[in-house]
Every structure is written in structure tokens, then in C-alpha cells.
Amino acid sequence: MPPSEPVFATRKKIQLIAGNAHRALAEAISTEMNVPLCDAHVGRFPDGEIDIKIDDDVRGTDCFVLQPTCPPVNENWIELLLLIDCLRRASAGRITAVMPYYGYARKDRKDEGRVPISAKVVANTLTRSGADRVLTVDMHAAQIQGFYDVPVDHLYAKPVMIEEIIKLGIENPVVVTPDVGGIKMARSYAKVLDADLAIVDKRRISGAEVAVEHVIGDVKGRNVIIVDDMISTGGSISGAADILKKHGAKQVVICVTHAVFCGPAVERLTACAADHVLVTDTIPQRVEGQPAKLRVVSVAPLIGRALLNIHESKSVSELFGD
């Protein structure tokens, strides 16, 4: 009797399944890959419970669920879990959770008594629901990959951001991290841009408030690029932009992957000393009320290429931008 056929050999095609978290990005990824979105109903029952029905045949196919866990985080998270469970019960060949923005990443360790490790709960629920693989972009804490016993593809938005920075024609740049924890990301940008590196020293007062105190490095008379993985309330990064201007920086460009923009973030960015704010479209942005200095860069080409490489068993690390 001949040996059984490998599981991957039964995957006849790609299926892209989009939740409701960010339809525009899902459609952009679909266009980049020249693969249509799967015909699926992702709605709500009258009481608000999530109602899902996949209308296409997914048996044996390579399924990618496109769903960032952005606000409303819990709605989008549960929707992602139910989509994965639906595909598993429909005999999908392989299921990849594509989370351009990975929520609940701040709590990656027990740093005080009687707190959860939320990022581990997310990892457990994803894999136990049936995810065979996870893809995300600029995870807030990269060590979360270690919570998984399935492959995790951690992409960086740096390649698409660098292209946008080059378009601005910034001369004599200094790459700045708004906190010590972002040194690795800042150094990666500085290497590509052949730029110097500086650090803004901050002291966190609470989850929503920080005090920006010192600048480590020379920024006087230089054009500054502040890089970070996310803007939440905007306190840290707007404060960093202001203090850099006070220390003699000329042009200040904020370059951040995930524009969470909660609370007073938009107002703070509008009022701060930054000349440009570059963000990606990992999280949907409302058109009205955004700062005039805001520019949105799409990660659809990056994610689309990564998904094709995964499907074709090609290298994904070439897209990491190391």
C-alpha cells in the first residue's frame, strides 16, 4: 500500500477569509495577491452574538484569516476565534491567523502580583481554536512568539516605512526611540538610513501618562525620525517630539506602525511639534478629524507577499527587513 499523501499536497488553493475588523486592508491584500476574498457571512444575531457561515468550499485549502485584533478588541478577537473554529470544522487544510495588529501584547509577563499574562491567553485560545500558524506585524513584545508551539511569522513594517521616509527627502537624519525598550527597532532603521541614533528618556507615571525628561544623543540642527511600534494615547511620542524641538531639532517626523489612537491621541498629535506623522494601515483610521500631518502607508503589499511565500513554502524571512 503506497504511503499516505502529505497533508500539504491536498491543499488545492488559497482562501482569504476576512472578518469585520478591517475590511479595507483585507480587500487591499486580496488585490495584491490577485486572490478573491472567500464568500462568507460574518454578522450578528439580534442579541449581538457573532453569526458566521462560510459559503465557499474550504476543504483541504490553505486558509488565511485576515483579522487584526484592534478596537473593539474583544469583538474582533472572538470573531477571529470563531472564524478559525468554523474553518477547522469545515476541514480546512491549514489555517493561518493573520493579525496585522496583535492586541493584548502589553501584558506579556507577570510584572506584579495578581495580574494575568494576557498575551499567553491570546496564544492559547488561537491555537486551541485551530490556528496552525500566526502572522503579525511589529508585535509590541517580540518574545510573545515563544508562547506558541506553532510557527509565528513576525513581519516588520520597516521596508514600507523606509520607502515613505525616503520620499520625504530627509537630510542628515537622526533616528530616535522614545523609550529605551525601542532601541533595537531604532537601530534597525538607523542602519538602513545610515543615520545616527538618539534616545528620549521617559518616566512612566501611569498607563496613560508619562514624563519626558532627557535626550541622550545630539539632535541639535538635525532632522529627527522618531520610530516606535504603536501610538496609543499619544502622550509619549508627542512629548518626545516637543522635547526634541526644544533641544534644537529641525524637522521632526514620527514613524509608527500601529495607530491605535485612543483617548486624546489625535489632539496631542495635532498640537505637538512633529512635522509629519507616518503610520501604517494595520488598524483602520477614520477619515474625519485626523491631523493634517498624518500619512497612512499600506502594509498590504508586504502581507500579500508574505502570504504567497507561506503558501508556496518559500522564505518569509527575506521580507523581515533585517
Side-chain angles (χ1 to χ4, degrees), residues 123-197:
N124 286 345
T125 54
L126 281 172
T127 53
R128 290 177 186 177
S129 293
D132 301 300
R133 195 178 192 106
V134 174
L135 182 142
T136 189
V137 179
D138 280 339
M139 190 181 285
H140 185 64
Q143 61 268 24
I144 291 172
Q145 297 170 78
F147 292 163
Y148 289 89
D149 291 323
V150 300
V152 177
D153 295 298
H154 185 204
L155 301 182
Y156 303 118
K158 186 182 70 178
V160 295
M161 289 300 230
I162 290 290
E163 288 182 15
E164 199 66 23
I165 290 170
I166 291 172
K167 290 177 185 176
L168 293 175
I170 299 171
E171 298 179 353
N172 195 25
V174 177
V175 175
V176 175
T177 173
D179 61 70
V180 176
I183 290 177
K184 184 176 180 181
M185 173 183 276
R187 186 179 291 119
S188 177
Y189 274 79
K191 182 179 178 181
V192 176
L193 295 169
D194 193 24
D196 293 329
L197 187 65

Side-chain angles (χ1 to χ4, degrees), residues 245-298:
K245 280 282 189 177
K246 290 177 183 177
H247 279 70
K250 292 166 64 179
Q251 189 178 26
V252 175
V253 177
I254 292 174
C255 180
V256 173
T257 305
H258 308 298
V260 182
F261 287 177
C262 53
V266 171
E267 292 76 11
R268 284 173 171 173
L269 290 172
T270 300
C272 80
D275 299 282
H276 301 282
V277 179
L278 306 181
V279 300
T280 73
D281 58 351
T282 57
I283 294 174
Q285 297 300 312
R286 65 180 191 274
V287 177
E288 69 283 353
Q290 297 289 33
K293 61 184 79 172
L294 184 73
R295 299 173 66 165
V296 179
V297 183
S298 182

Side-chain angles (χ1 to χ4, degrees), residues 190-213:
K191 182 179 178 181
V192 176
L193 295 169
D194 193 24
D196 293 329
L197 187 65
I199 303 168
V200 172
D201 177 36
K202 72 177 183 182
R203 175 172 52 88
R204 182 162 292 281
I205 299 170
S206 69
E209 186 180 0
V210 296
V212 179
E213 297 178 332

